[in-house]
Amino acid sequence: RETMTCPFNQPVPTSSDKNDITSKGPYYSSYLALDKILDAQHLLSEEAGMPAHDEHLFIIIHQVYELWFKQILFEMSSVMKIFSEEFVEHKQLALAVSRLHRITEIQRVLISQIDVLETMTPLQFLEFRNHLSPASGFQSTQFRKVEILMGLTRENRLTYGHAEYSQYLSEQHSEEMKQVESQKSLFDLIESWLERTPFTTNHPNFNFQQAYTKATFEIFENEKKMVAETLGTSETQKANLISKIDERIDQFTGLFDEEKHKIRQSKGEWRLSLKALQAALMITLYQDEPLLHFPFQLINKLQEIDKNFTTWRYRHSQMVFRMLGDKVGTGGSSGYRYLQAAASRHKVFQDFFNLSTFLIPTYQLPELPADLKQMLSFTYEVHAQKK
C-alpha cells in the first residue's frame, strides 16, 4: 500500500553524494537560501559586550514582518496589474478577490506575532533598547510602500516628529518612495474601475438614481409620520427630530448632486468620485445578484485590509505603551501616541465604511426589472441542433 510522505523528509546526504543530489535539482537549503537567512541575526548587544537574550527574538520578529510585507507587496502588485487594464474580466475579478483574501490572512499572522513579541517583558527590552537608536520601525520602506500603494497620500499621513516621513529615510530610500508615490495607487485604480462599471448606467426600464431616491424618500416620510404621531413628545422635540431627518435627506441627496459632493470632498467627508461612489453603493445594495457578488467581495476585502491594518497599528501602539510607557521612541517620535493616532487616521478605503449610512433594508430595495436581473445573472443559452 502506497503512503504519502513529506517530500523534504529524506535522509541527510553525505559529503560524497551531495554533488549528485544538487545536480538532479534544487536542494532544500540552497533553494530557500537558508544560509543567508539564518545568518542574518546580528545582536548589537552582543557586539557591545553586553549580550541580551531577547534581542534575538526582537530581530527575528521584525525580519519575519519584512518577509510578510514583501509578500503583501507581491500580491498587491498583481491585483493592481489586473485593475490597470481597461476591461477587467469576471475571472480576473475573482482572482483579485482571492489574492486580497490572501493579504487579509497574512495580516492576521502579523497581528498574532505581537503576542509572541509580548512574551518579552519591558525590563528585558530595556536590556538592549539603547543599542537600537536611532533605528526605528518607522524606517521600514516596505511598509511605507504598502501604505503608498494602497493609496495613503502625504496629505492624509501624520507627520513624524513634526517632519515628513521621508526625512527619516536614507537618500536612496527617500528617492524610492518618491517614485512609488508617482505611480497610480490601488485606490486610484479601484476608483477608475468603479467609474467604468455599467451598474449605475440608466437602463431603459430602470434608473438607479430615481429608484433609490424614491425609496429613501418614502422611508424618511414614514419616519416623519411616526414622529408626528408619537404620543408624549412635545412639539419642540418633534421639530428637532424632523429637523434631523431633513439633515439626513440632504445627506442622501448629496449622493446624486455633483456640487454637494465636491463640497463634501473638500471637507474630507468623501474621497471617491461621485460616479465611483454611486457604483459602490449599487454593488453593495444589490450584492446578492450573481454578477455583483465578486464586485461586492472586492469592496469587502478592501475594507477588511484597511480594518486589519488599523488593528495591527493599534495592537502595536498598545505593545509599545506596555514596553515604554510614555517614553520617546528610538526614532524620535512620540512613541505610542504617534502609533495610536496613526491607527485612527491612516485609512484608505474609509468611503466604503461610510456607505453603510446609506444602505436600506433589502425588503425596501427597488425591484430590478426582469431583463436587468437576467443581465446580472449567470445565464446559459441552449440552442437546438438543426436536424
Side-chain angles (χ1 to χ4, degrees), residues 6-13 18 21-38:
C6 174
F8 295 119
N9 189 19
Q10 303 297 330
V12 178
K18 276 183 181 178
I21 287 176
T22 53
S23 66
K24 294 178 182 178
Y27 182 58
Y28 181 81
S29 180
S30 58
Y31 174 65
L32 297 178
L34 291 183
D35 288 345
K36 293 181 180 179
I37 293 174
L38 300 180

Side-chain angles (χ1 to χ4, degrees), residues 112-169:
S112 66
Q113 280 187 190
I114 294 175
D115 292 328
V116 180
L117 191 57
E118 286 186 324
T119 61
M120 176 174 59
T121 68
L123 277 177
Q124 289 168 339
F125 179 51
L126 288 177
E127 287 182 11
F128 63 90
R129 180 180 181 251
N130 288 341
H131 300 296
L132 305 179
S133 184
S136 167
F138 188 80
Q139 295 166 334
S140 169
T141 55
Q142 285 202 120
F143 188 63
R144 298 284 82 83
K145 285 180 183 178
V146 170
E147 291 179 321
I148 295 167
L149 288 179
M150 274 187 65
L152 183 63
T153 63
R154 283 186 183 246
E155 293 75 21
N156 293 326
R157 185 188 291 277
L158 287 172
T159 56
Y160 184 73
H162 306 291
E164 291 285 346
Y165 79 95
S166 55
Q167 293 186 27
Y168 292 88
L169 305 178

Side-chain angles (χ1 to χ4, degrees), residues 169-374:
L169 305 178
S170 68
E171 187 176 343
Q172 177 188 342
H173 286 159
S174 182
E175 284 301 314
E176 284 181 18
M177 295 305 104
K178 287 180 182 178
Q179 290 179 10
V180 176
E181 287 175 327
S182 68
Q183 303 171 21
K184 284 190 175 182
S185 67
L186 181 59
F187 178 92
D188 297 328
L189 295 171
I190 294 297
E191 179 183 48
S192 180
W193 172 76
L194 284 168
E195 290 172 344
R196 298 194 308 271
T197 56
F199 306 132
T200 57
T201 303
N202 290 339
H203 183 270
N205 301 319
F206 185 76
N207 183 305
F208 174 63
Q209 176 180 343
Q210 291 179 2
Y212 175 78
T213 302
K214 181 182 177 183
T216 53
F217 265 80
E218 287 176 357
I219 292 171
F220 290 134
E221 287 304 314
N222 286 333
E223 289 182 2
K224 286 184 177 182
K225 186 178 179 181
M226 289 174 61
V227 169
E229 295 175 352
T230 301
L231 299 175
T233 305
S234 68
E235 292 303 315
T236 301
Q237 288 175 319
K238 289 180 180 180
N240 288 335
L241 290 171
I242 289 174
S243 175
K244 289 181 179 179
I245 294 173
D246 286 333
E247 288 176 6
R248 288 177 60 205
I249 291 174
D250 181 66
Q251 193 178 19
F252 272 63
T253 56
L255 288 175
F256 301 96
D257 188 312
E258 189 69 53
E259 291 304 314
K260 285 184 179 180
H261 184 72
K262 286 180 179 178
I263 292 172
R264 285 168 182 164
Q265 275 186 316
S266 67
K267 294 179 179 179
E269 295 176 17
W270 291 115
R271 183 177 172 186
L272 284 169
S273 69
L274 187 61
K275 193 172 182 180
L277 199 61
Q278 291 169 358
L281 176 62
M282 184 170 179
I283 289 168
T284 306
L285 288 170
Y286 293 96
Q287 60 189 263
D288 292 331
E289 299 299 327
L291 208 59
L292 298 184
H293 180 69
F294 278 123
F296 171 69
Q297 286 298 318
L298 176 77
I299 290 173
N300 194 46
K301 287 302 171 186
L302 292 171
Q303 285 180 283
E304 195 172 346
I305 289 171
D306 234 355
K307 181 195 72 174
N308 287 344
F309 274 135
T310 296
T311 301
W312 181 70
R313 290 184 181 105
Y314 179 75
R315 284 291 310 277
H316 187 194
S317 73
Q318 294 304 298
M319 184 268 294
V320 169
F321 188 42
R322 172 179 175 266
M323 293 289 184
L324 299 176
D326 207 20
K327 293 186 180 78
V328 174
T330 54
S333 75
S334 56
Y336 95 96
R337 294 183 187 278
Y338 168 83
L339 294 167
Q340 200 168 40
S344 176
R345 180 166 170 177
H346 289 179
K347 297 174 183 176
V348 176
F349 296 98
Q350 186 70 26
D351 286 359
F352 293 149
F353 290 88
N354 291 336
L355 273 182
S356 296
T357 303
F358 303 91
L359 302 183
I360 58 179
T362 53
Y363 63 84
Q364 290 178 303
L365 272 181
E367 185 71 23
L368 298 176
D371 57 341
L372 181 54
K373 282 186 72 70
Q374 186 176 17

Side-chain angles (χ1 to χ4, degrees), residues 104-117:
T104 65
E105 292 301 319
I106 292 171
Q107 288 176 307
R108 288 185 177 88
V109 176
L110 298 181
I111 294 168
S112 66
Q113 280 187 190
I114 294 175
D115 292 328
V116 180
L117 191 57

